Amino acid sequence: MSNYHIKNLEEYFAVYRKSIRQPELFWQEVAEEHFVWRKRWSKVLSWDFNKPEIKWFEGAQLNITENCIDRHLNTKADKTAFLFEPNDPKEPAQHITYQQLYERVNKMANVLKSQGIQKGDRVCIYLPMIPELAMAVLACARIGAVHSVVFAGFSAGALATRINDCDARMVITSDGSFRGNKTIDLKGIVDDALEHCPGTSSVLVVERTKNKVTMKPGRDQWLAPLLEGADVHCTPEWMDAEDPLFILYTSGSTGKPKGMLHTTAGYMVYTAYTFKNVFQHQSEDVYWCTADIGWITGHSYIVYGPLANGATTVLFEGIPSYPDFSRFWDVIDKHKITQLYTAPTAIRALAKERLDYVTSHDLSSLRILGTVGEPINEEAWHWYNDHIGNKRCPIVDTWWQTETGGILISPLPMITPTKPTYATLPLPGIQPVLVNENGIEITDNQVDGRLCVAFPWPSIARSIWGDHQRFKETYFTAFPGKYFTGDGALRDEVGYYRITGRVDDVIIVSGHNLGTAPIEDAINEHPAVAESAIVGFPHDIKGQALYGFIILKDTGTSRDRDNLSREINQAITEHIGPIAKLDKIQFVPGLPKTRSGKIMRRILRKIAAGETEGLGDTTTLLNPEIVEEIIQGKI
Ligand code: WTA
């Protein structure tokens, strides 16, 4: 039996048991089976969640790019590593082989070195989803520089905060980015940001849109001419297992963004292992994760996890709605995609559109579907299952976080029987526990608890950059001795986990804890509803009451809307109980979302509470204009 690849349910249980009873032995065997090491570890694990301090594979030396690129050259030099699908479908796709990846990453690594970047330096990457983004990430890893990718939809202010927080010496950006039929002046945003970043001395610029840009002498350089002269070989920097690999800021819906710090060996082992098993990767697969590399999903499951398995991984520059709502289905058909990994928000948006966008394409190449980022509601799950997977592709509802580095709870496709809205079972090595607000472990079924993890896994974040105290307070203080996820979850009678949403979104109404996710689920079941968000607002008698912001598929007349409000409350009563009925319903044209597609509940809470002044920073929203429209009561 291979530790690295689980092939059936019996094996899953056997491997899981071993991973809990003998975690060090288990991870040691995984590490031995699949990876190349410059020097072997002296100790598999040492940890103390109270400090907190976590070390995996201490004493080992390696380079993650050797594992992701070099070692595949013997057998897979001509295999496509990245399949680049541009924003404009008329622009040809690019197949970048492992050999070409090797050469391009090494050239870029040599350029970084020639610009004085050394092991341990932070490099901020602010690029659209083009091959250079992945190359820049890997080039940093090659020479031991710490990459900090900032999603190229963030504003100059948000970018500056992140650059300064990690004190990045260099920024890699492009002249612009394409988004549907628009172009965005990325270089201009970087210029604005750098007005406030005294520590950044160098900017490398990729040409993508041919926008006119201003190059600041002594600071800015075009990347292409530097690459031309660079050598195609670059000896990897030998990194200690616990040397930093990257910093990635979490969405920052509240307070200052947290720069989650991930280190080298454990992150590599865990992302590779989970990619292999959660997507049951086979060598001929063409795997597509629609996330942006600016988020953890892109880091772990577009770049590192797939490459560590020698996979073909798609890099998609576009958006689901351009040139029309068939784009995803078109890409699947064109490249014969075998795994599609996307977010519930995208599924819901596409499910709202005409079905013939889907049915006019051949999706028979698909084998496995995945979702990530938020709880998937039942209606979206069924639509995905019925219309995209044609009821033959298992859906892996993968639960994890920027902080966890990799997927912690997920079905294994074709192995774990799926259940809509359930992320199902923990992956090997993961020991979830549910606790109540007093930290007492919940052993009952179907009782909502706070989701914690009792034991470290290899890719857990090691710190918040520059603020270890905040790391401790945020994750290790509420329930001492455990990692606290901030999420609520429940477990069913067979041990399946259902993530019910952020605990900070739990609303206590008349003493009853209500998760927003199940209520939204019930509302979204209504055929007239496109999407909804529930928040709490202060109520004289109940303490908190529920406010529903609801987007309709068709706005209709006001009489329709009165009827709808009644029907919606009826549906909630049926699905959850009268206690979860909404006190207020507002039909809205859209919901404020972060650029990763998450609803900004903080803003909705304020609007619901009538506090429309001082809504805080809305610049990181995808659609800041919607806030005013909601306040004005537009539908
Ligand atoms: C939520 C994304 C339900 C959860 C990888 C978590 C999910 C937060 C799921 C992390 C899922 C992620 N079901 N909720 N399958 N996946 N979440 O850091 O609340 O962007 O804490 O990482 O997203 O978001 P992040």
Side-chain angles (χ1 to χ4, degrees), residues 432-485:
V433 276
L434 296 179
V435 296
N436 69 16
E437 61 273 33
N438 303 318
I440 309 293
E441 205 168 324
I442 295 172
T443 47
D444 298 359
N445 298 328
Q446 300 295 355
V447 177
D448 218 327
R450 284 155 174 71
L451 180 59
C452 297
V453 188
F455 195 86
W457 61 98
S459 68
I460 184 174
R462 304 301 198 255
S463 192
I464 290 173
W465 183 262
D467 199 348
H468 197 67
Q469 186 58 24
R470 186 176 179 196
F471 184 60
K472 177 176 172 158
E473 282 163 13
T474 311
Y475 305 104
F476 299 94
T477 302
F479 306 110
K482 298 182 180 71
Y483 166 77
F484 174 44
T485 67

Side-chain angles (χ1 to χ4, degrees), residues 249-251 295-297 301 341 344 371-376 396-404 406-407 409 421-423 483 485-488 498-503 505 596 598:
Y249 289 88
T250 50
S251 354
W295 308 120
I296 191 70
T297 306
Y301 298 110
Y341 189 29
T371 77
V372 60
E374 53 179 322
I376 181 163
V396 289
D397 177 352
T398 63
W399 173 81
W400 57 299
Q401 312 176 291
T402 304
E403 295 85 337
T404 70
I407 299 166
I409 304 182
T421 76
Y422 280 75
Y483 166 77
T485 67
D487 280 331
R498 177 183 185 172
I499 312 302
T500 48
R502 298 295 304 180
V503 178
D505 292 333
S596 58
K598 286 205 185 78

Side-chain angles (χ1 to χ4, degrees), residues 46-55 456 462 468 471 476:
S46 54
W47 67 292
D48 178 350
F49 271 177
N50 293 315
K51 281 186 178 166
E53 187 178 78
I54 305 130
K55 291 182 181 164
R462 304 301 198 255
H468 197 67
F471 184 60
F476 299 94

Side-chain angles (χ1 to χ4, degrees), residues 3 5 148 209 214 253 262 403 405 424 440 464 492 602-603:
N3 280 303
H5 182 201
S148 168
T209 56
T214 321
S253 6
H262 284 280
E403 295 85 337
T424 76
I440 309 293
I464 290 173
D492 75 1
R602 176 174 64 77
I603 290 173

